[in-house]
Every structure is written in C-alpha cells, then in structure tokens.
Amino acid sequence: MISGKPRWALCVAVLFFARLAADTVTKAVAAPDDKQTAALAAGHSAHGQAFDDGPRQQAYLMAGMPEIHFPVGTTNTLAQRFFTQGVGQLHGFWVLEAERSFRQAAVHDPNCAMAYWGMAMANFPATNRAPDFIAEAVKRQHPGNRREELWIKSLAGFYKDPNRPEKDRRREYVRALEDIVVEFPDDIEAKAFLALLVWENNFAGHPIGSALTVESLLREIFAAQPMHPAHHYRVHLWDGETDEAAVRALPSAALCGQSGPGIAHLWHMPGHTFNRLHRYEDMAWQQEASVRVDNAQLMRDGVMPDQIHNYSHNSEWLIQTLNYVGRVHDALALARNMISMPHHPKFNTLGLQTNGVPREHSGGTAGDGRQRLVETLLRYELWDETIRLADSPYLPSTDLGEEQARRARLLGVARFSSGKIAEGRAQIAVLEQSAKQLRGERAAKIDLAEAKAKTDRKSDDERNKAMADALRENQEPLGRIDDYLAELRVLESVATHDSAGFTNRLDALKTVSKERLSLLWLHAGANDRAEQLAREAADAGTNQVQLLANLADVLWRVGKTNEAKEAFARLRARSAFLDLELPVIGRLAPVSAALGLPADWRVAAAKRSDSGIRPPIESLGPFLWEPSPAPAFALRNPAGKEISLGDYRGKPVILLFYLGNGCIHCLEQLNTFAPAAKSFEAAGVGLLAISAESRVAVGKTVENSKSSGGFPFPIVADASHEAFRAYRAHDGFENMPLHGVFLVDGEGRIRWQDIGFEPFTDVAFLLAETKRLLAIRPDGSYASRDKDPTPPTRRRTADGHK
C-alpha cells in the first residue's frame, strides 16, 4: 500500500504524467540469455553496460520544454514527442533528463535509430558509454532516410577511431554537420548543433576564427524560429569575447530562459551576459530563476541535487551575486541550504578523492556551499554570526588540513575583530598546527619518493623529478596558511593596540581584500593609502554594493564629505535589494543623516526594457531545496506481520531495498549492514530491509545471515514491487527492481538516497552522513527560530520594489 503527495505546487508543472509501466523488457535488443538473466536479477540492464548507468526511471512529458521541430523516422507519436523533448533538453545542457527522454522514445519505438543517437549525444564527448549508444543507432538506421543517415554518420564518425586525436575528430565532425546544412538547408537543428560544436571546439584546440560567422548562423536560426533555445549558444559565444562585445548577446539573454522555462540552465545562461555588463540585479534574477526551477524538479521527481551537473555551480554563483547586490541574508540561507544537502562519496563530499588524490573542495554542494558561506561572512564582517555558526553543523571542524585552515582563519578574524584576543590566538595555534601537519605529510612523501626511487633503480633524472613532485606536495596550501598566519598576527596587533607591530606588515598581506586593507590603513592613520585602496576596490568591482559602501565610509572618515556623498548616491542607486542590518551599511549612518534621508533610504530598482518578459519568480519553484516526502508503505514480514513506514513516525530509518536471496551482492550488503545495526540504533536510527521477492523467499534470505540469530533488523517482502516503484528504486524501461538505500527522517522525508545496479555498502560513510544530516535542518535553517540572523527590515518583491 503506497501513498504520499507532493509538497510543492509548481508553475513548471507536468503537462501530463506519462509514467507508463513497461510490462515487458524493451525490444531494443535480443532477448537475454541465461547470463544476461542472471545479470538482470542483479540489477544490470539486459541491453549492456552502457545502459547500467544513467537514468533508469521512465521519462514523462514535461511542461516548459523548448518548442523545436525535429521529425525522425518513427510513426509512433509518443516516440517522436519524447525524442523532441530530449533534443530540447540537450540544448539546455540538461543531459540527465535528455538521456531519459531518448530512452523513453526507444521504449515506444525500439527501432527508432535517432533515439540512440540522442542517448549518445547526451553523453558526448565521453567515450565510455556514447560509442555503444551510437553503435545501436547505426544498427537501426532506416535505409533510404538520407537525412537520418547523415545525422547518425556524423556522430558515428567521431567515435570510429578513438585513438585519433580528438582535435582532428572534432574538425571532421564539424564538416559532417556542415554537409547536413548544405544538403538540408531548412534543418534548423543541424545549424544549432553546428554553432554549438564550433563554440565547444574552441576549448579543444580549434579557436573560433570569427565569432561573427557563428553569429550569422545563429541569426538564420532565429529568423526561422525566434524562440529557439540556441539563444543559449549566442550567450556562450559572446561571453567568450570582450565586455564590449558581450552586449551583442543581450537580445538572447532576454529570451533564453523564456525559450525553455522548464529547463534551469536556460535561465542560468543570461546571467553570464549580465555579469559581463555588471548588471548584478539582472544576473541575480537569472541565477535565482535557475535555482528555483531546479529545486522544483528535484523535489517533484526525487532527484538528488548533485545529480544535476550545473546545480552546485549555479547555486554558489547565485550566492556570490546576492553578495554583489547586498541580499546577504538570502546568501547565508542559500549557503546553509547547500551545506544541508545530502553528501555522497562518489560526487560531493569534502575531501573527495579523484584518482586517489584528495580534493579540499569537491565542486559539489558540500564544498561550494561551505566556501561561499565563509566568503559571505568574511566579506560582510558578520563576526557574531561567524562565532555562532562555528558551534553549529554548518561550519564544523574537519580533519582536512587546508579546509581546517580556512575555518581557523575566518574564526581568527572574527575573534580578533570582536576584541576576543585569547580566542583569536587559539586560532593562530590551530593554523600553526595545520602547517605542521601539512609539512609532516610532505616530508613523509619526500622520504617515500626517495626510497621508491632507490628501490625502482630510477635514473638520476627520474629520481630528481620524483623528489621535485614530492617537494611541490602541499606547497600551495602551506603558502596560504602562512598568509593566513600573517593576517591574524596583524589583527592581533590591531586588537592589542600595537600599531608598530602591524603598520610595516600591511603591504605584505596577500589574503586580505583591498576594502578590508583600506580599513586597516585607516586605523593606522594612513588616510591617503586607505582612500586609494577603497577606490581601487570599488573600481575593480563595478556596481558591487559592499565595495561602494566601503568607499563612501572611508571617504567620509578621511574628511572628503562631498565625495563620500557622491559614492553614497552611487550606492543608493543600487540599493533595491540591500539588507540594511550589516556592519558596513551601519557605518554609513552619518552620511545618510547628513543627506537628511530616512532610516530606510533604499530606492526601488530601475525598470529595464531589455531583460525580457519575466514570470513572477516565485512561480518557478522554491528558493530553497527541501527533501521529498517518503511514500508510505505497509508490507509484511515472513511471519505475516505488517510493518509500515508509519511505524517509524518520529524515528529515522534506513531503508535497504534489495533484489532477493538470489543476488549475492544483496546478501553481502545485508551482512555488511548487520554489524552496524547497533551503531545506527545508538544514533536513534532504525534499519528495515525490503525485498523484491515473496515472503517465502525472504525467509530464505534470513537463513543466509552470518549471525546465528538472523539479521538484527526486520525484513519485509514487496513481491509486487509497488514500494520499489514508489521510491524510484526501479527500472521503468525494463520493468525490474534496482538496489536502493534511503534515509527517511522522523518527519517522513527522504534525506539521503542511493539507487543503482549495484548495492551501496559504505556503511561507515552512511552512518556518519546520517548523523550529520539529522543534526541539521533540511532547508538549512537553525534549530530554533530565535537563532536565525536578523531578517531584513523590509520585505521586497523579486524586482526590488516595496
């Protein structure tokens, strides 16, 4: 028994929910033999390894997709519609959903060759899966369909000889697309993908000789289809040119999101143009629209944030832009929201390793959210908030040397700036310990490299290279830690009123921004130097409100009151979104008083006519991500006892969806989790296993426990796979259950998940992640409302008007 309804009503809603249950395995390949059947039972696709990864749940026809025309060789209406949807999603770089749409097209017409071309395009230019997809397209291409033959041949040619330089293969791919344009001049999609490829090749050894040539191709597209999503490509094209040339993309910046309002990245891209033009209010609107559209889809469909390739980048760039316009409370809320999102060892956790090398920031929400949180606190001098967050799950201590050093630097700045000298000195000690740790790690690697060189009988040149590589290890982070120490020691001198101890060291500081340096020079009495740095910062960060506010403050304090008023006027013109409860803004009280302004001196944003017709931003989705509700279920164990999700109300539970007693990997997973049951229970978390087999088969699973008393958690049967489907632990294309692990919190929300053709077995990671997630609110807010940062004094609409 399954129930549950969505939490968010969406403007970007579903046109119609075409989740058709595929009762039979897609006929796209031959019926599986015995080995394939065994693999199928273990969660692997019957179609081959390329189909194991990627989306396994069926697609549905979405609202807000681009309107394009790309007829292919199929008589099945739904196959054509899903194919067209997939192409539109490709134009928005929404490759996860594009592949899903193309797979759905193949379900409706297994012989639609272009559906497999689409799957390959969704994985271009990666070489591990795309070649298999395009090979399937070649098998199915229809004799006599010249246009399709050229499309498939163009991409197949790119993968024909993977040992050839990619640069050469890309050049030939361009020529192949040009052949389509020449032979079929009305093929708009050939022109669009050609424009994209020419731009992409710029990063693969083929610089764009003439941007205007590509622009002329794009103009042909827009002359035929004014709202084609190739507006995306025009923004990219001119974003790579000068600031002056970026204005040429404005017409497309005004139409890009509107050309496919259900695709987040199409809202994101105009932000590039507005960024180049220093129009940060418009840039923030575009990035927020993108985040909201993504959040709507993630929450609707139960997809985890970091599964969307651009999600983290878009969110962290939005935070940066919110800082530019002064929406600091929103920036903090979004940064905390990113930190509250689920981590996964494969793609977004601090210290994630790539090829065995740990990275301080993963590039996902884990690292990006923390980085932007630190930057926002430091930029706006939010010392009380910094100290409060240091004792929260949003800015915890880590065992990562450089990340811990960043945290110590921030806390040290906050402590010294708040007059807490002893606490500040404690952070200096943390930095010194971090440096010692990194130097020790480097020394050990040097010794190891030298010993290995001797053992391997390396030549002198090889030995010297190995030693040089080891010497470079940790050199960059060690340099940053030394810079942090220099900064904190200067702040220590300021806090102890030792002017002689810091004045002669200010010019050597490398980690302090020019606006913060201007205040230090002001403190030292060097007014000219302070003014110079404040002006340089404001000029470099054109139209950024914090830099303008700092300039007005410094000018006022050095006695240049008229120039201070002029700087204040420039700030006020950009104040529509500004949060007033900020230290840098509070210091401007004498300036606003001298001008006779009210306490709330902000003005509404200027209306612009070149940014496009925008929908109400709240209609696109929620500003903050929240986990989706867990579908309810009621299933029975081997003894016939009913166990439901409702039994766990108020208590978090780990759900282990496994395929059955015949799956060796499933049994390994259950036996791996069994010893950890007590640890989960100690954390207040239950475990429940859900089998895709019958109650009788579940009884056989229990017999395979490595513990004499059976598994230390209940196991229930879901032979109908109803719960598997509800939790999306199910391949909708091939009608088969998949492995799945879910953390459902006490309020019935899915806080973490892993779904795939192999079971998740990193129990230690999941236990630690479970504790982290349950200690934090899913939307990133504080545990109690009275600890939230002071809200803005005035609520504003999304366009900056009262």
Side-chain angles (χ1 to χ4, degrees):
M1 180 175 64
I2 306 293
S3 65
K5 63 182 180 181
R7 180 175 295 182
W8 186 259
L10 301 168
C11 172
V12 185
V14 180
L15 278 175
F16 88 121
F17 216 66
R19 295 186 183 277
L20 303 174
D23 294 326
T24 59
V25 175
T26 307
K27 299 176 182 177
V29 295
D33 57 24
D34 291 342
K35 290 183 179 180
Q36 288 175 317
T37 301
L40 208 61
H44 290 258
S45 169
H47 304 335
Q49 188 174 353
F51 292 84
D52 281 341
D53 290 318
R56 302 288 292 269
Q57 298 78 26
Q58 289 197 341
Y60 59 92
L61 294 173
M62 296 178 167
M65 296 298 103
E67 295 184 10
I68 61 174
H69 182 66
F70 196 153
V72 294
T74 181
T75 58
N76 187 292
T77 302
L78 281 175
Q80 178 65 65
R81 292 181 70 182
F82 277 107
F83 176 85
T84 302
Q85 174 170 281
V87 174
Q89 290 163 337
L90 283 180
H91 286 315
F93 289 3
W94 202 10
V95 292
L96 178 72
E97 293 305 322
E99 183 178 338
R100 195 192 311 277
S101 293
F102 291 126
R103 286 210 66 181
Q104 193 67 43
V107 166
H108 293 292
D109 183 353
N111 292 315
C112 178
M114 288 297 286
Y116 297 89
W117 167 89
M119 295 176 212
M121 285 291 291
N123 289 276
F124 180 83
T127 58
N128 57 339
R129 299 174 67 222
D132 290 347
F133 289 135
I134 197 63
E136 293 295 332
V138 170
K139 289 179 187 176
R140 290 166 178 76
Q141 61 185 355
H142 303 284
N145 191 328
R146 173 65 176 168
R147 180 170 160 274
E148 279 195 12
E149 178 187 341
L150 290 176
W151 273 108
I152 294 171
K153 181 181 177 181
S154 68
L155 189 55
F158 178 82
Y159 292 107
K160 184 177 180 180
D161 184 1
N163 294 321
R164 291 182 62 214
E166 183 177 332
K167 179 180 176 180
D168 296 339
R169 291 186 288 131
R170 281 180 172 272
R171 182 177 58 246
E172 291 179 6
Y173 190 14
V174 167
R175 298 292 182 265
L177 289 180
E178 288 176 337
D179 289 343
I180 301 176
V181 173
V182 170
E183 193 166 340
F184 297 92
D186 294 331
D187 193 328
I188 298 299
E189 297 312 306
K191 295 176 182 179
F193 284 112
L194 174 58
L196 170 63
L197 184 61
V198 171
W199 170 76
E200 282 184 336
N201 287 355
N202 185 43
F203 306 99
H206 287 290
I208 298 175
S210 169
L212 281 175
T213 301
V214 183
E215 169 70 18
S216 66
L217 189 63
L218 291 168
R219 288 181 182 179
E220 289 185 30
I221 296 170
F222 302 137
Q225 291 181 239
M227 291 301 291
H228 193 281
H231 288 295
H232 177 187
Y233 307 146
R234 179 188 265 167
V235 171
H236 269 304
L237 174 68
W238 293 112
D239 188 49
E241 302 297 320
T242 63
D243 286 354
E244 292 75 16
V247 73
R248 297 170 186 168
L250 263 178
S252 285
L255 297 174
C256 187
Q258 292 85 337
S259 71
I263 300 179
H265 191 66
L266 293 180
W267 289 113
H268 164 96
M269 278 310 303
H272 286 251
T273 299
F274 294 125
N275 180 48
R276 295 293 294 270
L277 300 176
H278 310 293
R279 288 173 50 173
Y280 299 121
E281 295 89 349
D282 286 313
M283 179 182 174
W285 194 97
Q286 297 291 159
Q287 305 309 317
E288 182 175 342
S290 179
V291 166
R292 286 177 179 270
V293 170
D294 259 341
N295 284 342
Q297 189 263 337
L298 293 171
M299 293 164 63
R300 178 180 68 236
D301 293 343
V303 178
M304 293 290 101
D306 284 276
Q307 289 182 262
I308 304 296
H309 87 284
N310 206 47
Y311 182 86
S312 182
H313 162 58
N314 189 70
S315 297
E316 60 88 11
W317 205 21
L318 172 56
I319 294 170
Q320 187 178 50
T321 313
L322 294 176
N323 282 329
Y324 291 168
V325 300
R327 287 175 57 186
V328 178
H329 298 306
D330 284 340
L332 290 173
L334 186 54
R336 294 198 308 265
N337 188 231
M338 291 180 73
I339 293 169
S340 74
M341 291 173 182
H343 296 176
H344 195 286
K346 289 184 179 179
F347 46 75
N348 74 322
T349 184
L350 286 174
L352 184 70
Q353 296 207 357
T354 302
N355 297 325
V357 179
R359 291 184 293 162
E360 294 292 334
H361 287 299
S362 68
T365 53
D368 289 344
R370 183 177 173 116
Q371 181 180 10
R372 292 304 182 202
L373 176 66
V374 169
E375 289 177 2
T376 303
L377 295 167
L378 190 64
R379 182 182 185 116
Y380 279 96
E381 306 168 36
L382 302 176
W383 312 137
D384 290 343
E385 180 68 4
T386 296
I387 294 169
R388 182 161 47 235
L389 284 169
D391 296 324
S392 78
Y394 301 99
L395 195 59
S397 177
T398 80
D399 58 0
L400 298 171
E402 190 176 0
E403 187 59 48
Q404 185 69 351
R406 290 190 188 98
R407 179 179 184 272
R409 180 263 188 127
L410 171 66
L411 294 181
V413 172
R415 299 290 189 181
F416 282 128
S417 300
S418 302
K420 302 179 186 297
I421 297 171
E423 292 91 334
R425 286 171 174 162
Q427 298 307 315
I428 288 179
V430 172
L431 284 172
E432 290 173 336
Q433 180 58 38
S434 293
K436 182 179 179 181
Q437 174 187 337
L438 289 174
R439 287 192 175 93
E441 291 174 1
R442 185 174 66 169
K445 288 177 181 178
I446 290 172
D447 291 342
L448 182 62
E450 187 170 18
K452 193 172 188 303
K454 290 179 180 178
T455 302
D456 296 345
R457 297 181 179 180
K458 299 287 187 182
S459 67
D460 288 344
D461 287 344
E462 290 174 322
R463 178 181 176 279
N464 291 336
K465 183 181 183 303
M467 295 297 293
D469 291 341
L471 282 169
R472 281 195 296 270
E473 189 75 30
N474 293 337
Q475 186 59 46
E476 188 176 339
L478 275 169
R480 274 193 289 271
I481 291 176
D482 289 340
D483 293 337
Y484 294 158
L485 283 167
E487 178 182 358
L488 293 193
R489 285 172 179 142
V490 165
L491 294 179
E492 179 185 23
S493 297
V494 173
T496 57
H497 308 289
D498 179 14
S499 58
F502 79 89
T503 305
N504 61 350
R505 288 185 283 151
L506 287 181
D507 278 324
L509 295 183
K510 299 178 182 178
T511 57
V512 183
S513 64
K514 286 187 175 181
E515 66 270 21
R516 285 183 57 224
L517 272 176
S518 70
L519 298 180
L520 289 172
W521 281 110
L522 195 64
H523 183 82
N527 291 356
D528 290 345
R529 182 70 170 135
E531 178 186 344
Q532 175 193 350
L533 288 167
R535 289 186 184 278
E536 288 177 0
D539 289 343
T542 305
N543 295 340
Q544 295 180 28
V545 296
Q546 175 246 353
L547 301 179
L548 288 171
N550 182 73
L551 176 59
D553 174 36
V554 170
L555 289 171
W556 184 266
R557 287 202 267 172
V558 301
K560 296 188 175 183
T561 56
N562 288 334
E563 292 179 67
K565 291 177 182 178
E566 291 174 4
F568 185 91
R570 290 166 58 196
L571 167 67
R572 194 177 181 217
R574 294 164 178 81
S575 64
F577 300 94
L578 180 63
D579 292 332
L580 293 178
E581 309 79 14
L582 303 166
V584 66
I585 304 303
R587 292 197 292 269
L588 297 177
V591 187
S592 63
L595 291 169
L597 297 175
D600 187 350
W601 42 261
R602 296 173 292 186
V603 296
K607 295 283 188 180
R608 291 187 180 269
S609 60
D610 60 356
S611 54
I613 300 173
R614 294 168 170 171
I617 200 163
E618 294 83 0
S619 70
L620 296 176
F623 180 63
L624 300 178
W625 174 85
E626 292 188 36
S628 303
F633 59 80
L635 302 167
R636 296 186 182 277
N637 68 7
K641 179 183 177 181
E642 183 178 271
I643 299 176
S644 71
L645 183 63
D647 295 337
Y648 293 89
R649 188 68 182 176
K651 178 181 180 178
V653 60
I654 298 289
L655 303 178
L656 302 172
F657 285 79
Y658 75 98
L659 304 187
N661 186 56
C663 173
I664 298 174
H665 299 300
C666 291
L667 294 177
E668 290 176 349
Q669 180 191 42
L670 296 179
N671 280 303
T672 300
F673 271 88
K678 290 183 179 179
S679 297
F680 279 101
E681 192 62 41
V685 181
L687 288 173
L688 174 64
I690 301 175
S691 172
E693 294 185 314
S694 67
R695 286 162 50 194
V696 174
V698 168
K700 294 180 180 178
T701 298
V702 174
E703 295 173 1
N704 284 307
S705 170
K706 291 182 179 180
S707 302
S708 57
F711 291 104
F713 43 78
I715 304 180
V716 293
D718 180 31
S720 68
H721 304 164
E722 194 176 355
F724 277 82
R725 288 188 178 89
Y727 280 80
R728 293 168 60 84
H730 191 269
D731 187 322
F733 303 115
E734 301 183 41
N735 192 32
M736 57 184 288
L738 298 172
H739 305 275
V741 178
F742 302 84
L743 166 62
V744 179
D745 67 16
E747 297 180 38
R749 298 168 298 194
I750 298 176
R751 301 292 296 276
W752 189 92
Q753 70 181 41
D754 178 271
I755 301 171
F757 63 94
E758 292 180 339
F760 184 85
T761 57
D762 192 343
V763 179
F765 174 89
L766 183 56
L767 178 59
E769 176 64 1
T770 295
K771 292 177 181 179
R772 185 189 74 86
L773 288 171
L774 296 178
I776 203 168
R777 278 193 170 183
D779 63 355
S781 63
Y782 282 72
S784 60
R785 182 54 68 181
D786 62 352
K787 289 185 179 180
D788 267 336
T790 306
T793 56
R794 177 186 65 164
R795 304 304 297 173
R796 288 148 298 176
T797 61
D799 61 2
H801 289 75
K802 293 183 181 179

